[in-house]
Amino acid sequence: MSSAMGSFFGGVPRVAVPDNLKSAIISNNKNGIVVNESYADLNRHYGVIVNPARPRKPKDKPKAEQGVQAIQRYILARFRHHKFFSVDELNEAIAELLDRYNNKIIKHLQKSRTELFNELDAPYLNPLSANSYVYKQFKIAKVHQDYHISLEKCNYSVPYKYIKEEVEVRYSTQSVYIYHKNRLIATHPRLRRVGECSTLHEHMPSKHQYVNESMNPQRLRSWAKKIGEFSSVFVEDIFASMEYPPQAYNKIVAILSLAKLYGNTELELALMYATKHNTTTTKSIRSILDKKLYLSDSANNVQPSSQYALFNNHSNIRGADEYK
């Protein structure tokens, strides 16, 4: 069963009997039948029941297999000396041959395949849906602290009450649909550029304060202050670069957590180096810490009298009074 097949026949069958290929059936054994989610979605759209053939039993669909063999031989025999230079050209030639084959009279039945279809099959087809099926892909995602989910390096919001919940994402080339326990909770246009974010106003909590207060800007600022002055400045810069503060939570937590692995002083030096060289992603900061790249800058400077003298000369240091 496919969308193109339904359009060709002018209707859809009540039951689809596919082979056990992985693009249709994930497993078919004594534990039950597991249908590929994309194939199941296609059949749900057209109201078709999926009842796959038994595995390792090719006798379930002999007439279908014979029909495929006959039309394949008919087309290949006529095209064996032809050259085609595009798929569209080939499809047009096949369509013409297909009509000729279906309208050909079968001698022992004195009827064509088209006549037999109209007489035996067409009356029992269900009508096509008003809207054509749009192919979708599926993914399970977890809602972040900033009430967004990530999909192919883009972010989409959901109502904030679903923070930390698992959701199902169904997405096409144009749209993204987010479900929680089979209930649609958010719809977004599909984003393309890495780092883009789609945030709906109705998904945002009041003043961005979560009910359980597990994460908020003040808590992150206090955490950064305990690490050092440069971390505080860095956190404020991240907040300033975001339209909505919660969008910065994941990045800030990922960076400040590095202090537990490498130490507060090391993280301060790495953040200064990263800002100076304009490379402030979490991955690049971790690389700076691993390779101790900040030492190369320190070696070329006069040794400061204290660990913070190095920071006080930096152009980005504005002091705590800047953010009061």
Side-chain angles (χ1 to χ4, degrees):
M1 169 63 200
S2 68
S3 182
M5 186 188 79
S7 299
F8 180 80
F9 289 136
V12 292
R14 298 175 185 177
V15 180
V17 185
D19 292 323
N20 289 278
L21 66 168
K22 290 297 182 182
S23 58
I25 306 299
I26 301 298
S27 65
N28 182 2
N29 51 44
K30 62 182 180 181
N31 296 321
I33 298 170
V34 179
V35 182
N36 180 290
E37 191 56 50
S38 294
Y39 185 67
D41 188 58
L42 166 68
N43 285 281
R44 280 195 299 267
H45 179 82
Y46 288 111
V48 177
I49 298 170
V50 179
N51 184 26
R54 293 171 293 171
R56 298 176 296 278
K57 296 288 183 179
K59 295 180 181 179
D60 278 356
K61 301 194 304 174
K63 289 187 179 295
E65 301 297 338
Q66 289 173 6
V68 170
Q69 183 186 63
I71 186 62
Q72 183 182 47
R73 287 177 175 175
Y74 180 82
I75 292 174
L76 290 176
R78 280 151 182 77
F79 287 163
R80 64 187 184 278
H81 299 307
H82 287 68
K83 289 184 180 179
F84 296 95
F85 299 94
S86 71
V87 174
D88 290 337
E89 182 184 356
L90 175 60
N91 285 335
E92 289 178 8
I94 289 176
E96 184 179 341
L97 270 187
L98 195 60
D99 288 337
R100 189 188 308 173
Y101 179 80
N102 287 331
N103 292 327
K104 193 167 105 174
I105 300 296
I106 302 173
K107 291 183 179 179
H108 67 280
L109 295 176
Q110 291 302 306
K111 290 183 179 180
S112 68
R113 290 174 176 81
T114 301
E115 291 173 324
L116 291 172
F117 171 77
N118 292 331
E119 179 183 331
L120 302 176
D121 299 315
Y124 297 97
L125 292 177
N126 288 332
L128 289 170
S129 301
N131 300 319
S132 297
Y133 175 72
V134 178
Y135 175 75
K136 301 183 189 71
Q137 292 178 273
F138 295 79
K139 176 186 176 182
I140 300 298
K142 189 170 184 178
V143 182
H144 301 156
Q145 284 284 358
D146 60 358
Y147 57 91
H148 287 67
I149 60 103
S150 295
L151 176 66
E152 296 186 355
K153 299 184 179 180
C154 295
N155 300 305
Y156 303 87
S157 67
V158 302
Y160 72 93
K161 66 180 181 179
Y162 295 105
I163 289 173
K164 295 185 179 180
E165 295 282 340
E166 280 196 345
V167 294
E168 181 186 37
V169 187
R170 305 176 186 179
Y171 57 103
S172 65
T173 55
Q174 300 296 327
S175 304
V176 174
Y177 305 91
I178 305 172
Y179 292 79
H180 180 259
K181 296 181 179 179
N182 295 320
R183 188 170 70 87
L184 182 64
I185 60 173
T187 304
H188 296 270
R190 179 78 179 274
L191 303 177
R192 293 298 177 187
R193 289 191 300 175
V194 172
E196 277 192 302
C197 185
S198 176
T199 304
L200 300 184
H201 183 75
E202 58 267 28
H203 293 165
M204 298 162 54
S206 176
K207 298 181 182 179
H208 294 286
Q209 297 298 312
Y210 296 109
V211 177
N212 59 9
E213 294 293 338
S214 62
M215 191 62 63
N216 55 63
Q218 189 54 45
R219 180 180 176 185
L220 294 173
R221 288 186 173 105
S222 297
W223 185 5
K225 188 176 181 181
K226 291 177 182 178
I227 296 174
E229 187 173 359
F230 207 89
S231 295
S232 294
V233 174
F234 191 79
V235 166
E236 294 299 337
D237 286 343
I238 294 178
F239 275 132
S241 68
M242 299 291 183
E243 183 178 359
Y244 304 113
Q247 294 175 355
Y249 290 177
N250 286 340
K251 182 174 182 178
I252 291 174
V253 170
I255 291 173
L256 296 185
S257 296
L258 295 174
K260 299 176 182 178
L261 298 174
Y262 299 93
N264 292 354
T265 302
E266 287 74 11
L267 179 59
E268 289 276 281
L269 289 165
L271 290 176
M272 185 190 68
Y273 181 94
T275 303
K276 179 179 178 181
H277 294 275
N278 195 29
T279 174
T280 57
T281 64
T282 305
K283 183 178 180 180
S284 64
I285 293 171
R286 183 182 287 274
S287 178
I288 292 168
L289 287 163
D290 286 336
K291 299 175 182 178
K292 298 186 183 298
L293 298 178
Y294 49 82
L295 294 179
S296 61
D297 279 4
S298 300
N300 295 328
N301 295 326
V302 177
Q303 285 294 327
S305 57
S306 68
Q307 69 178 46
Y308 290 107
L310 183 62
F311 304 137
N312 293 335
N313 295 326
H314 195 275
S315 60
N316 280 9
I317 298 297
R318 298 187 285 277
D321 293 337
E322 181 74 17
Y323 301 103
K324 288 184 178 178

